[in-house]
Amino acid sequence: WANPAGVPPRLGGRVAAVRAAPDRAAVLEVLQLMPEEAFFLVFAVGVLSVYRNGRIMTSGELWEAACESKPTFAHTYAAYHHFRSQGWVPKSGIKYGGDFVLYRIGAEFFHSQFVAVVLDSSPECEDPRLNPQRRFTWAFLHNLNRLNEQVLKRIVLTYVTLNGRGRGSDVVVGAAVQQMLLRRWVPQ
């Protein structure tokens, strides 16, 4: 695999790869990774290199860049890493009002069953994107539930408590992640 124009991939950007097929011309494939996926492949698996200004970024630099571009990154990465370690394949859940959709093996093989919404479980959380008391109104929850019922998905509220010690990716080590399944009760 080679990058066609010699341009290295960027975090959250598109990666174009060219592969020469034995009986065909070069095949262009485009791959777009979420920041959580890119960091997971760099930090946890060690199979991806991310470049900035022509040089490979360290995992610490990548963490800082991801947190800069996405203020909720520490929490969403902790949830992403948790789901991956449980055997799920998380993909972007923006179309369904959540942070991730969860696939059992992959999007190519199965329909996703769950939409995960990432929240901070610490009481002192001030960020409205992570604080359940500030993020959820009854109207929002009702709309989220109706949307996901229509597409046959269940909502998983994912509460993350980060490790308060350390800097950078160290705050994710030992993070507590709890899930709660949200369902509408319809009396029969």
Side-chain angles (χ1 to χ4, degrees):
W1 293 86
N3 203 321
V7 179
R10 295 178 307 165
L11 179 64
R14 292 179 179 240
V15 178
V18 177
R19 178 179 57 172
D23 57 342
R24 298 185 195 166
V27 177
L28 180 67
E29 293 184 25
V30 177
L31 170 67
Q32 187 165 358
L33 299 173
M34 297 182 305
E36 294 84 3
E37 287 175 300
F39 189 76
F40 181 80
L41 293 173
V42 168
F43 178 71
V45 185
V47 296
L48 178 70
S49 296
V50 178
Y51 290 80
R52 177 183 273 172
N53 299 327
R55 69 173 197 77
I56 297 176
M57 296 175 74
T58 66
S59 61
E61 293 169 337
L62 184 58
W63 177 270
E64 294 299 323
C67 289
E68 239 177 68
S69 67
K70 184 178 183 180
T72 60
F73 179 75
H75 289 81
T76 55
Y77 178 74
Y80 181 90
H81 193 106
H82 171 77
F83 288 127
R84 286 301 300 252
S85 69
Q86 298 294 317
W88 293 96
V89 179
K91 294 292 183 183
S92 175
I94 196 165
K95 291 194 294 189
Y96 306 105
D99 294 296
F100 301 113
V101 289
L102 304 175
Y103 294 93
R104 184 35 79 196
I105 294 178
E108 304 83 26
F109 306 106
F110 291 103
H111 169 78
S112 66
Q113 299 171 328
F114 301 101
V115 172
V117 177
V118 178
L119 302 164
D120 187 339
S121 61
S122 63
E124 64 273 356
C125 177
E126 294 295 324
D127 191 335
R129 293 165 293 208
L130 293 169
N131 186 321
Q133 285 78 28
R134 297 176 87 188
R135 183 174 180 183
F136 294 147
T137 63
W138 285 112
F140 175 82
L141 283 173
H142 179 69
N143 290 337
L144 181 66
N145 202 23
R146 290 289 297 259
L147 165 68
N148 285 289
E149 277 186 3
Q150 295 298 314
V151 292
L152 303 174
K153 295 185 189 332
R154 295 156 91 192
I155 301 165
V156 178
L157 300 178
T158 308
Y159 291 92
V160 176
T161 305
L162 295 177
N163 172 4
R165 300 179 307 275
R167 286 192 63 226
S169 58
D170 292 342
V171 300
V172 176
V173 176
V177 179
Q178 297 176 317
Q179 297 100 215
M180 181 180 3
L181 190 61
L182 177 68
R183 291 181 29 185
R184 187 174 78 148
W185 179 61
V186 181
Q188 296 295 332

